[in-house]
Amino acid sequence: MSNEAAKEQTTAENPWPVRTVARKIADWIHRLGAVWVEGQVTQISARPGTQTAFITLRDPSADVSMTVTCPTRLLKGIDPPLRDGASVVVYAKPTFFLGRGTISLRASEIRAVGIGELLARIERLRRLLAAEGLFALERKRKLPFLPKGIGLITGRASAAEHDVLANAHARWPAAPIQVVNTAVQGPTAVPQIRKALSILDADPNIDVIVIARGGGSVEDLLPFSDEALCRAVAAAGTPVVSAIGHEPDTPLLDHVADLRCSTPTDAGKRIVPDVKEETARVHQMRDRARRALHGWVDTQCRLLDQLRSRPVLADPLGPIDRRAADVETHRERARRAMLNTLSHEQAAIASARARLTALGPAATMARGYTVVQYPDAAGNLQVLRSISEVAEGTPLRVRVVDGAVHATATSTEPGE
């Protein structure tokens, strides 16, 4: 019935009685068909003398459960008998009980899931997760050399907890390990382990998370092949170590985890280094470093001795003194050569100066000179440069400068 129809038929002044609402809900639920349901049995109640048995069926991957009712004879006909934690497939029809207002499943057929079917489902899930890349080696993270905090998820007071703690503390006594106890089998195991994983993964002081459990049957180890748990481990930001069962046991968690250990004892040995081995390695490296340093120092000392024994370092001033004498000799040679060259050049200059003096007009001028003029045809006086310029009998005018000049002239004026 739609909300509009319900509002039209019911009001605050004219409400429906509880029986009417319960009947309408029952009518709607009873119209539903039967379905196949899979889950884990967490509780079985079959009282002697009663015709109806009650089973609580739980989803192993979530905190969800439903009540299943069935005839007692149907429950007794199952071989082997059902027990808590068993996986079953139920063919049932939803039923609403008016008196209690509860919903349950009325089962007409119950099938226990056999080992073969369980293994087949695990194999199908394995192929699915592998196809999604959850098993890929490149996504697996390397564990830190010395984690500052280790988270351990395991059963309370279990042998697995003792093995991990004993071996880890034997190798590194100061290893800080935070233990979270959860159910490790049965229908409540997966939700509790996922919750513990979430808490430890959110803790910044935890560098490694170990999920450990001892050996068991295939049914006991089913929670560690659960799809929801595998995806939670794959999504964790902290490296996860799987230490489930014994060497032959390989739940899907082993493939998803960053490191798979064959046993909890093996996990205790691999999550922390051995303090004795590391101390011995430190001593060994220190000895090697000391020997290497001593060897290097000895080599450098021998090299220095060789360098000091060479003549250039044995008598460092000798080559300088010898070179100083050579420099002085060459300097004296250079001085003599320079003086000789200067002497030759000075003599050459003196000879050139004498020739220049003898050939130049300066000497003549020093002895005195005359200026001879003659009149040209126009009667203008011209300077005589050559005697051939004038005809015989032309009067010449002579001016005596800086000395007496005896010249023949046709006529001269006094003082000239």
Side-chain angles (χ1 to χ4, degrees), residues 34-150:
V35 292
W36 287 99
V37 183
E38 180 184 2
Q40 276 188 325
V41 176
T42 59
Q43 185 178 0
I44 301 175
S45 177
R47 297 179 181 178
T50 59
Q51 300 297 319
T52 303
F54 296 89
I55 302 172
T56 301
L57 200 62
R58 184 184 182 90
D59 190 323
S61 300
D63 191 13
V64 178
S65 60
M66 290 193 68
T67 301
V68 178
T69 62
C70 66
T72 305
R73 56 177 176 78
L74 180 62
L75 194 62
K76 292 181 178 180
I78 300 176
D79 188 28
L82 287 183
R83 59 181 181 87
D84 290 349
S87 297
V88 295
V89 176
V90 177
Y91 186 70
K93 187 178 186 301
T95 303
F96 183 79
F97 292 94
L98 289 174
R100 297 190 300 271
T102 58
I103 299 175
S104 66
L105 298 175
R106 181 66 179 179
S108 58
E109 186 176 351
I110 299 177
R111 297 180 183 178
V113 178
I115 298 299
E117 178 63 21
L118 289 176
L119 295 177
R121 293 182 183 181
I122 292 174
E123 179 61 24
R124 288 195 295 270
L125 180 59
R126 187 192 67 79
R127 289 197 295 267
L128 173 63
L129 297 180
E132 294 182 9
L134 269 64
F135 298 167
L137 294 178
E138 54 269 17
R139 62 163 296 275
K140 297 184 182 298
R141 293 155 295 188
K142 186 178 180 180
L143 269 61
F145 172 73
L146 183 60
K148 62 182 179 181
I150 302 170

Side-chain angles (χ1 to χ4, degrees), residues 153-414:
I153 302 174
T154 187
R156 185 180 302 277
S158 62
E161 177 181 356
H162 174 269
D163 290 345
V164 174
L165 295 178
N167 286 276
H169 287 150
R171 291 172 60 84
W172 198 272
I177 302 178
Q178 179 179 343
V179 181
V180 180
N181 294 121
T182 64
V184 291
Q185 69 181 57
T188 61
V190 173
Q192 292 185 17
I193 295 175
R194 290 178 59 189
K195 182 178 180 181
L197 178 65
S198 176
I199 294 173
L200 294 176
D201 189 33
D203 191 343
N205 295 321
I206 300 298
D207 289 341
V208 178
I209 299 175
V210 181
I211 302 178
R213 188 202 188 283
S217 62
V218 175
E219 295 90 337
D220 294 338
L221 301 181
L222 277 180
F224 302 101
S225 294
D226 183 80
E227 181 178 2
L229 178 59
C230 291
R231 294 188 181 278
V233 170
T238 306
V240 178
V241 178
S242 175
I244 308 301
H246 302 296
E247 181 66 33
D249 300 322
T250 54
L252 296 182
L253 183 63
D254 286 350
H255 302 287
V256 179
D258 297 285
L259 176 65
R260 186 251 179 182
C261 297
S262 57
T263 60
T265 300
D266 185 34
K269 295 179 180 179
R270 299 180 68 176
I271 57 176
V272 292
D274 189 345
V275 65
K276 296 180 181 179
E277 293 179 359
E278 297 306 320
T279 302
R281 186 175 290 111
V282 169
H283 291 164
Q284 180 182 6
M285 296 298 293
R286 186 173 61 185
D287 293 339
R288 290 175 59 185
R290 182 186 299 110
R291 290 194 298 270
L293 181 58
H294 288 173
W296 180 83
V297 171
D298 293 340
T299 301
Q300 298 304 315
C301 289
R302 288 193 298 271
L303 179 60
L304 289 176
D305 292 338
Q306 293 175 1
L307 292 175
R308 284 199 302 265
S309 64
R310 294 180 180 179
V312 68
L313 292 180
D315 183 16
L317 298 180
I320 296 178
D321 294 338
R322 289 191 295 273
R323 293 302 178 187
D326 293 341
V327 169
E328 185 63 27
T329 301
H330 288 293
R331 186 177 64 179
E332 182 63 26
R333 290 178 181 177
R335 187 179 65 81
R336 289 197 300 268
M338 182 62 67
L339 292 176
N340 188 25
T341 302
L342 289 175
S343 299
H344 284 293
E345 295 300 327
Q346 287 175 350
I349 291 174
S351 175
R353 182 183 292 115
R355 289 196 302 272
L356 180 62
T357 302
L359 297 177
T364 301
M365 288 183 176
R367 292 192 299 269
Y369 63 92
T370 61
V371 176
V372 179
Q373 295 177 321
Y374 67 93
D376 57 6
N380 296 322
L381 293 177
Q382 301 292 334
V383 177
L384 178 65
R385 294 181 174 82
S386 175
I387 196 64
S388 62
E389 294 181 358
V390 296
E392 184 178 358
T394 302
L396 300 178
R397 185 181 180 180
V398 179
R399 180 179 295 171
V400 180
V401 180
D402 293 335
V405 176
H406 301 278
T408 300
T410 58
S411 66
T412 60
E413 295 182 2

